[in-house]
Amino acid sequence: MIKKLLIPIILLFLAYFIISSENIKTISAGIAIFIIGMYFMENGFKLFSGGLLEKVLEKFTSTSLKSVITGFISTSIVQSSSLISVIVISFLTVEIISLTQGMAIIFGANLGSTTTAWIVSSLGVDIKISLYAMPMIIFGVIFRFSKEQRYIGLGNILLGLGFIFLGISYMKDGFETLKDSIDLASYSVGGFFGIFVYILIGAIATVVIQSSGATMAIIITALAGGNIIYIDAIALAIGANIGTTVTAIVGSLTSNENGKRLAFGHLVFNMITALIAVIFIYVLKDFVDYIAPLIAIDNNNYSMKLALFHTIFNIVGIVVLFPFIPLIVSMSKKVIKDKIKKASKPIYLDESNIKIPYNAMVSIQKEVIHLYENAQKAILHAMSIHTSDLKEEKDIDNILVSSKKIDTNLDDIYHNDLKSLYSEIIDYLLKSQSHMNPNQLFYIGQLRLSSNIIIKILKDTRDIQKNMNAYLYSKNEDIKQEYLALKREFALNILRTNLLRNKDIDDVETSTQIQMYKDNIDALEIQTNKKIDELIRNDKITPKMGTSLINDSTSIFNMSKNLFRIANILFVNDIKLRSLGELNETV
């Protein structure tokens, strides 16, 4: 009851506070418009890039240094470190990049977020920025009516920029008039105590607003209007950096362990960087005073000097912590341990990937492989084979001789574990379809087919398990040898499927090899049927045994061919081609 009343009370109090002061109303409107602009910018780049941003982040992150640079450039362009963080977390979820690369990108994104301060300080303070806002908003609305995704994205970008500029203009006007009625600078608290107070205010403001860019815009416009003094603005900027870690932590709560580790690395980076900035605040301030004239910044232009300070202390953080990225990764793994993976729980189906076709496709592909691995383990156990024993073809004969019966209830495994995982894959797959082009839809249709085949193989194994267990221990040597041959053939084809996944050969060669395996199965099926007829005709096995053997051999050969269908879908073709709409192959 208290929680239900608390929000309306806070909103009513805020409404009264805003309405009672014209200056506060103007500033609040500016903040709100600025945040809307950031939202449109972020959404616009998602649509306009058409997945290009994701491809850039994947391609140019082969080393930690490249990752830092890529994080810096991409954040500077899209003006949203939160968007970059979301993409990085989604990449980590599907294991497209490593945790080390992800942390390096976040380091660079921290530096990239400082470009907001440069935009606000250079354009929003000395120029009538609202004049540029109106045309952008007008053309943004026009492009929004297009049916093309890219034009809609461009419209959102223009709307975002227009609203950002308009928001800065409102904040600037509000702080200038507020200065005439209230001299906030007179409330400044000196010394390190005052610095800590303003750091706390900056952190809280960023947590509440959920945007360090918006907080920096407020700080710079307040500084330009003379509402706060330079040293307090520096402290607020440091606080804003700390506040962004809370946003990252909250955003990581719904992600997997690597997403949480990324947030941990973000926290470590920002806290240590902030600590360095506080300890050397006056040294850095003097350094900024020295550098500013060299890059044509006027000595009294405190807004641009604040932007320079914001950039310099983030660069210092990167320089100091860059060599320790592996250590931070190692620490994060100790603090946030991997959960025990249950067969029924999806590993890669991150909700944040659904709206990004490339990531959604990788998520589904990897989860289907996860389903296959769990089903394969159950199938091999049903045939009394331990997965750890099946490494090379030479192992198979030893397994057949030495294997002991493993009690495996495939019905229980399906209903208690795999059915739930299968259902979640299908549900996720259906949700992701609305954001995909026809070629991408074709590919995930193939992934759906492969999951259906996996479940079918599991059920077919259940149907032959009883006969397999009975006849492998039969006193009739002929039926025993036939079922041993079937067991050997199926185990061999499972092993071949696994080796196809791990082989570093091109798609054409792999497809050729799969076709050769299928042709061998067809030839073997003909030979087996002839031999069964001969065994029945010569009274080596009873007609009942022969009927079971015919049915089970047909099932084994079909299951084997289905294994290679799965391999063709999951392991052969390069998923990147499908994400670019280049899929022409049918399975």
Side-chain angles (χ1 to χ4, degrees):
M1 188 65 180
I2 295 171
K3 287 182 179 178
K4 288 181 180 179
L5 289 172
L6 188 61
I7 293 174
I9 289 169
I10 291 171
L11 289 174
L12 285 170
F13 176 76
L14 184 61
Y16 171 77
F17 185 67
I18 291 170
I19 293 167
S20 63
S21 171
E22 192 65 32
N23 298 322
I24 298 299
K25 188 196 300 182
T26 305
I27 294 167
S28 300
I31 295 168
I33 293 168
F34 186 95
I35 291 170
I36 289 170
M38 296 289 279
Y39 168 79
F40 272 107
M41 279 275 287
E42 182 175 318
N43 183 266
F45 272 108
K46 281 182 184 177
L47 294 174
F48 183 69
S49 68
L52 177 64
L53 185 58
E54 288 80 9
K55 294 178 183 71
V56 167
L57 285 174
E58 180 189 1
K59 187 174 182 179
F60 297 103
T61 53
S62 56
T63 66
S64 293
L65 182 58
K66 284 183 181 178
S67 298
V68 170
I69 295 168
T70 302
F72 164 68
I73 294 171
S74 55
T75 307
S76 299
I77 293 170
V78 303
Q79 284 295 295
S80 175
S81 58
S82 61
L83 173 59
I84 302 303
S85 296
V86 166
I87 294 171
V88 171
I89 288 172
S90 67
F91 275 14
L92 286 171
T93 304
V94 294
E95 298 174 356
I96 291 175
I97 61 173
S98 68
L99 186 56
T100 301
Q101 291 168 312
M103 285 197 183
I105 291 171
I106 293 302
F107 279 25
N110 269 277
L111 181 60
S113 65
T114 66
T115 55
T116 304
W118 286 102
I119 292 168
V120 177
S121 62
S122 59
L123 295 177
V125 177
D126 298 325
I127 300 171
K128 187 70 175 175
I129 199 169
S130 57
L131 295 175
Y132 299 96
M134 298 306 175
M136 288 182 178
I137 293 171
I138 291 166
F139 280 100
V141 171
I142 291 169
F143 282 120
R144 284 272 298 168
F145 282 101
S146 172
K147 292 181 180 179
E148 290 280 336
Q149 287 281 78
R150 287 196 173 184
Y151 286 123
I152 295 171
L154 178 59
N156 282 351
I157 292 169
L158 290 173
L159 277 173
L161 281 171
F163 282 133
I164 286 170
F165 287 179
L166 193 62
I168 292 168
S169 179
Y170 270 97
M171 283 189 277
K172 178 188 171 186
D173 292 343
F175 278 116
E176 281 177 354
T177 53
L178 185 66
K179 171 66 177 172
D180 298 331
S181 55
I182 304 172
D183 186 8
L184 294 177
S186 64
Y187 293 96
S188 176
V189 181
F192 274 100
F193 176 72
I195 289 168
F196 284 115
V197 168
Y198 277 92
I199 286 172
L200 183 62
I201 293 169
I204 293 170
T206 305
V207 170
V208 172
I209 297 171
Q210 289 288 292
S211 170
S212 61
T215 307
M216 285 304 300
I218 296 167
I219 295 166
I220 290 168
T221 49
L223 178 62
N227 299 91
I228 54 175
I229 63 173
Y230 179 45
I231 192 68
D232 292 341
I234 288 174
L236 287 167
I238 295 170
N241 254 41
I242 295 171
T244 56
T245 60
V246 177
T247 305
I249 290 166
V250 170
S252 72
L253 293 177
T254 56
S255 66
N256 66 357
E257 284 70 35
N258 274 338
K260 294 179 176 69
R261 288 167 186 151
L262 190 74
F264 173 83
H266 194 186
L267 175 66
V268 169
F269 175 83
N270 282 31
M271 293 301 290
I272 292 177
T273 302
L275 182 62
I276 293 168
V278 171
I279 293 171
F280 298 102
I281 190 166
Y282 291 106
V283 174
L284 290 172
K285 177 178 170 293
D286 291 342
F287 183 65
V288 168
D289 290 339
Y290 173 75
I291 291 289
L294 301 178
I295 55 173
I297 296 175
D298 189 85
N299 200 42
N300 294 320
N301 190 341
Y302 292 110
S303 298
M304 291 197 74
K305 285 169 75 172
L306 177 62
L308 180 58
F309 180 91
H310 194 209
T311 302
I312 286 172
F313 90 75
N314 273 282
I315 290 172
V316 168
I318 292 172
V319 170
V320 171
L321 292 173
F322 182 80
F324 298 101
I325 290 177
L327 179 61
I328 296 170
V329 169
S330 179
M331 283 171 57
S332 71
K333 288 180 179 178
K334 289 178 182 177
V335 173
I336 302 160
K337 298 185 183 298
D338 285 312
K339 292 179 182 177
I340 297 171
K341 294 175 182 176
K342 295 182 179 179
S344 60
K345 296 294 180 184
I347 301 172
Y348 304 103
L349 303 183
D350 195 303
E351 288 294 317
S352 63
N353 288 343
I354 283 180
K355 294 183 180 179
I356 308 173
Y358 177 76
N359 290 7
M361 289 161 64
V362 179
S363 295
I364 297 164
Q365 185 213 35
K366 286 182 176 287
E367 203 61 62
V368 174
I369 292 172
H370 177 220
L371 175 69
Y372 169 74
E373 287 170 345
N374 285 304
Q376 182 195 112
K377 183 178 179 181
I379 289 163
L380 286 172
H381 282 187
M383 293 193 164
S384 300
I385 299 172
H386 288 285
T387 50
S388 57
D389 295 336
L390 196 63
K391 301 294 182 186
E392 299 177 14
E393 288 195 23
K394 65 181 182 180
D395 300 329
I396 292 176
D397 290 329
N398 292 330
I399 291 168
L400 295 178
V401 172
S402 61
S403 63
K404 294 180 181 178
K405 186 178 176 182
I406 302 172
D407 289 326
T408 307
N409 190 322
L410 290 180
D411 269 328
D412 282 350
I413 291 170
Y414 171 69
H415 287 291
N416 296 332
D417 291 324
L418 299 185
K419 185 178 180 180
S420 172
L421 179 58
Y422 172 68
S423 299
E424 294 213 38
I425 290 171
I426 301 302
D427 182 57
Y428 188 92
L429 185 147
L430 292 172
K431 287 178 182 176
S432 68
Q433 286 182 345
S434 60
H435 306 282
M436 294 185 175
N437 64 37
N439 286 332
Q440 292 165 341
L441 288 172
F442 175 82
Y443 177 55
I444 64 165
Q446 295 300 304
L447 290 176
R448 180 173 184 167
L449 173 64
S450 66
S451 2
N452 295 344
I453 293 170
I454 290 165
I455 297 301
K456 186 180 186 314
I457 292 173
L458 183 81
K459 291 179 177 179
D460 288 347
T461 305
R462 175 199 60 191
D463 295 339
I464 67 172
Q465 184 183 15
K466 184 179 178 181
N467 285 343
M468 184 74 71
N469 285 334
Y471 289 126
L472 282 174
Y473 300 96
S474 173
K475 292 180 180 178
N476 184 318
E477 195 62 29
D478 291 295
I479 195 74
K480 179 179 178 180
Q481 290 303 318
E482 290 306 309
Y483 270 91
L484 271 173
L486 289 179
K487 180 177 177 179
R488 186 186 191 285
E489 177 63 17
F490 192 53
L492 177 62
N493 288 322
I494 288 177
L495 176 62
R496 284 171 172 169
T497 304
N498 294 343
L499 293 176
L500 283 171
R501 176 184 177 183
N502 300 322
K503 270 193 176 181
D504 187 20
I505 53 179
D506 63 43
D507 295 351
V508 175
E509 189 178 345
T510 310
S511 297
T512 304
Q513 198 163 9
I514 286 174
Q515 190 55 52
M516 184 186 73
Y517 289 150
K518 286 181 178 179
D519 292 342
N520 289 343
I521 291 168
D522 289 335
L524 185 61
E525 186 172 10
I526 294 168
Q527 291 176 13
T528 302
N529 287 334
K530 286 181 180 177
K531 189 169 184 182
I532 294 170
D533 290 343
E534 187 179 329
L535 289 171
I536 295 171
R537 194 167 47 249
N538 294 331
D539 293 327
K540 296 289 182 78
I541 59 175
T542 65
K544 182 182 177 181
M545 289 178 179
T547 303
S548 297
L549 186 56
I550 289 168
N551 291 335
D552 292 340
S553 63
T554 301
S555 293
I556 288 287
F557 294 132
N558 286 336
M559 287 156 63
S560 294
K561 283 185 269 191
N562 277 331
L563 281 172
F564 294 121
R565 289 182 74 192
I566 293 168
N568 206 29
I569 295 169
L570 296 181
F571 308 142
V572 174
N573 300 298
D574 190 343
I575 194 168
K576 293 176 188 173
L577 297 179
R578 299 186 177 94
S579 74
L580 293 169
E582 296 175 4
L583 178 66
N584 296 311
E585 182 179 346
T586 56
V587 178

